[in-house]
Amino acid sequence: MMWEPKFEAMDRAQLAQLQLERLQSTLTRVARNVPYYRKTFAAQGIDPDDFRSLADLARLPFTTKAVLREAYPYGFFAVPLREVVRLHASSGTTGKATVVGYTATDLKKWGALTARILTMGGVTREDVVQIAFSFGLFTGGFGFHQGAETLGAAVVPASSGNTRRQVAIMQDFKTSVLVCTPSYALYLAQTMEDLGVNANALSLRRGLFGAEGWTEAARAQIEDRLKLTATDNYGLSEVMGPGVAGECLQRNGLHLNEDHFLAEIVDPATGEPVADGELGELVITTLAKEAFPLVRFRTGDLTRFLPGPCPCGRTFRRMERVRGRVDDMLIIRGVNVFPAQIESVLLELEGATPHWRVVLEREKGLDKATVELEVAESFVFDRIADQQRFLQNARKRLASELGVSFEIRMTEPGSLACDDGKPCRVLDRRGEG
Ligand code: DLL
């Protein structure tokens, strides 16, 4: 099922044409109405009227969170405030929040985009949708609320918190769809178990989770404990909120709503596009927003494009679930390495556990990288030869996937836990002595 098959299953050549037209009109509008773009376009000799091909995108300047912050609160709005009917704000975990605005048309489009995400996740108008995202400046609550109403489902704007009450609502209202963060879903599962509520007795069948990173292991747990099918969805306030990308029921990557958002993946260090399918930073240009359009916004989120068509029939490209933040990037002997990349190689090794860290040192002016890895207790190396093979294989895999050689050190289970119980993945000693 698709909410807007006309767009979601659009022929790729037609989509490219639509993107180009929308991009041209966005560029014209921002050049006229947003001082930052007017100035940077002028300085770089960019004339929106000359913009003829999507391939020219790489000539346009990036927009960073820092630039948005400087324009606090309304400096990036492309319409007068009287045309704005809603304000939200990014969480502002680092520094000042960014205020984002929506015109009435923006809100309508946003509703359609979140209706797409809900439909992708298997929601229909027959459903009772409990939204346990907070309703406030955060975009999650209102964003999904409008989508679920657009879809014609019965919406329960439960908002976040008061978990016992959420459970009672699920029981009494016969909630069939849960929308919240994956961590809150797990917390709800725990609360239900503590209260002796049997998930099988509830009406839950689908869960749409997003707004933070999670893993396949978390998905398996949520599905098992809440008895629903869980899909991932992605978005960010600067660009819109939820509604940017979501998994269909194939659950093999998140379809980007490409008629509204032009996505690129760039090397976070150089800003150059990475080769197709390589991991890098997601950069988004909005194509149809009125109040808060953005050109080449650096999301800071790491992902890659996935190849091939999706059996669901959508033609929109898929991105892999977000692996982490660019801020986590390490530069080892000049090569960009993300802790998430190391982890994904390690987790494919039989006997490895998710408990590991990388230690960086400097020897004779050169970076030395060592991965310390806890090995499962059940995975006993009877023979030195097996141990050698494991280490050799791990080294080879890391070197070929990351382009850097690592030493591997196996450690006892439990030896890498940090004080606060959270993993600390990187110990960088290169600045010491
Ligand atoms: O989290 C919007 C949203 C609400 C998305 C509800 C999905 C569902 P912000 O508060 O601005 O907006 O946070 C955006 O959260 O840059 C990512 O780092 C992270 N994030 C969002 N969705 C995912 C996801 C909303 N599915 C920031 N996986 C983004 C991993 C995610 N990280």
Side-chain angles (χ1 to χ4, degrees):
M1 278 281 290
M2 291 180 218
W3 182 245
E4 292 181 299
K6 183 171 155 231
F7 295 106
E8 293 172 80
M10 203 169 187
D11 168 75
R12 295 285 313 175
Q14 279 175 11
L15 174 65
Q17 184 57 31
L18 178 71
Q19 287 178 319
L20 180 61
E21 285 162 17
R22 289 185 168 179
L23 179 61
Q24 283 165 331
S25 99
T26 297
L27 293 179
T28 308
R29 238 153 13 83
V30 299
R32 201 177 296 148
N33 302 323
V34 182
Y36 171 78
Y37 292 120
R38 191 182 319 129
K39 262 189 274 163
T40 47
F41 285 8
Q44 296 181 20
I46 295 162
D47 181 349
D49 289 338
D50 289 344
F51 200 91
R52 297 270 149 70
S53 150
L54 288 176
D56 290 339
L57 193 63
R59 286 178 37 224
L60 297 171
F62 287 120
T63 310
T64 60
K65 280 186 207 287
V67 165
L68 295 184
R69 228 173 271 140
E70 274 168 34
Y72 180 87
Y74 297 141
F76 260 81
F77 282 27
V79 298
L81 213 48
R82 68 176 173 295
E83 287 181 34
V84 171
V85 298
R86 175 87 68 77
L87 296 167
H88 282 285
S90 72
S91 39
T93 38
T94 48
K96 228 189 264 176
T98 296
V99 181
V100 293
Y102 305 76
T103 64
T105 309
D106 286 335
L107 285 188
K108 229 173 125 196
K109 288 178 185 159
W110 191 15
L113 289 174
T114 44
R116 285 185 194 177
I117 302 290
L118 288 160
T119 309
M120 276 186 222
V123 182
T124 74
R125 59 191 312 258
E126 308 296 326
D127 280 302
V128 177
V129 180
Q130 182 162 338
I131 299 178
F133 275 129
S134 82
F135 281 68
L137 286 177
F138 176 59
T139 51
F142 282 101
F144 269 111
H145 185 93
Q146 195 150 347
E149 273 191 3
T150 303
L151 191 67
V155 195
V156 186
S159 200
S160 58
N162 206 341
T163 308
R164 283 168 173 252
R165 185 151 167 259
Q166 301 265 6
V167 175
I169 291 173
M170 285 203 266
Q171 290 176 302
D172 299 346
F173 294 18
K174 306 213 174 337
T175 300
S176 56
V177 176
L178 176 65
V179 179
C180 60
T181 59
S183 51
Y184 193 61
L186 283 169
Y187 186 64
L188 264 169
Q190 186 59 50
T191 307
M192 271 170 40
E193 285 153 17
D194 293 347
L195 293 170
V197 173
N198 180 355
N200 283 314
L202 298 175
S203 312
L204 287 176
R205 59 180 205 99
R206 305 280 189 228
L208 282 89
F209 306 110
E212 66 185 15
W214 51 316
T215 58
E216 284 306 316
R219 172 162 22 217
Q221 269 213 28
I222 293 173
E223 294 196 327
D224 182 48
R225 293 166 75 184
L226 290 178
K227 311 291 176 218
L228 46 70
T229 304
T231 51
D232 185 13
N233 71 90
Y234 168 85
L236 61 169
S237 0
E238 292 88 345
V239 164
M240 171 154 273
V244 176
E247 278 183 330
C248 62
L249 291 171
Q250 299 289 327
R251 299 186 299 162
N252 178 20
L254 291 77
H255 288 281
L256 283 148
N257 276 320
E258 288 184 285
D259 54 335
H260 284 256
F261 308 105
L262 199 53
E264 300 168 83
I265 297 190
V266 306
D267 180 326
T270 63
E272 293 298 319
V274 297
D276 212 25
E278 296 268 306
L279 190 69
E281 178 178 1
L282 180 67
V283 171
I284 297 180
T285 301
T286 65
L287 295 174
K289 275 175 78 190
E290 292 183 341
F292 201 82
L294 287 180
V295 176
R296 303 192 85 205
F297 180 66
R298 306 273 302 237
T299 65
D301 293 318
L302 290 169
T303 182
R304 67 170 92 233
F305 287 131
L306 295 176
C310 183
C312 78
R314 287 177 184 80
T315 49
F316 288 159
R317 291 179 103 173
R318 286 162 302 140
M319 63 178 221
E320 195 178 57
R321 68 161 69 245
V322 168
R323 291 265 200 106
R325 301 275 312 161
V326 168
D327 321 329
D328 301 338
M329 185 178 86
L330 304 168
I331 303 183
I332 305 173
R333 264 169 265 145
V335 179
N336 303 339
V337 175
F338 300 102
Q341 284 177 296
I342 303 179
E343 176 151 323
S344 71
V345 173
L346 294 179
L347 288 182
E348 283 175 15
L349 300 172
E350 199 195 337
T353 69
H355 306 296
W356 62 274
R357 72 173 176 182
V358 56
V359 183
L360 301 172
E361 291 155 312
R362 191 152 283 158
E363 262 183 19
K364 296 187 190 138
L366 280 182
D367 292 343
K368 177 171 175 234
T370 307
V371 168
E372 296 181 336
L373 176 65
E374 290 182 16
V375 182
E377 238 162 328
S378 57
F379 195 75
V380 191
F381 294 110
D382 296 338
R383 295 182 311 152
I384 297 275
D386 289 342
Q387 189 171 330
Q388 289 305 334
R389 200 168 307 122
F390 176 86
L391 289 174
Q392 214 173 24
N393 182 30
R395 262 189 234 118
K396 209 164 97 194
R397 295 284 301 278
L398 284 168
S400 77
E401 304 237 351
L402 305 181
V404 181
S405 49
F406 290 84
E407 280 304 312
I408 314 278
R409 196 180 302 140
M410 291 193 286
T411 65
E412 302 272 300
S415 60
L416 295 178
C418 287
D419 293 344
D420 59 1
K422 279 199 227 144
C424 35
R425 296 298 188 207
V426 181
L427 180 61
D428 196 341
R429 292 197 167 130
R430 289 176 294 184
E432 293 173 14

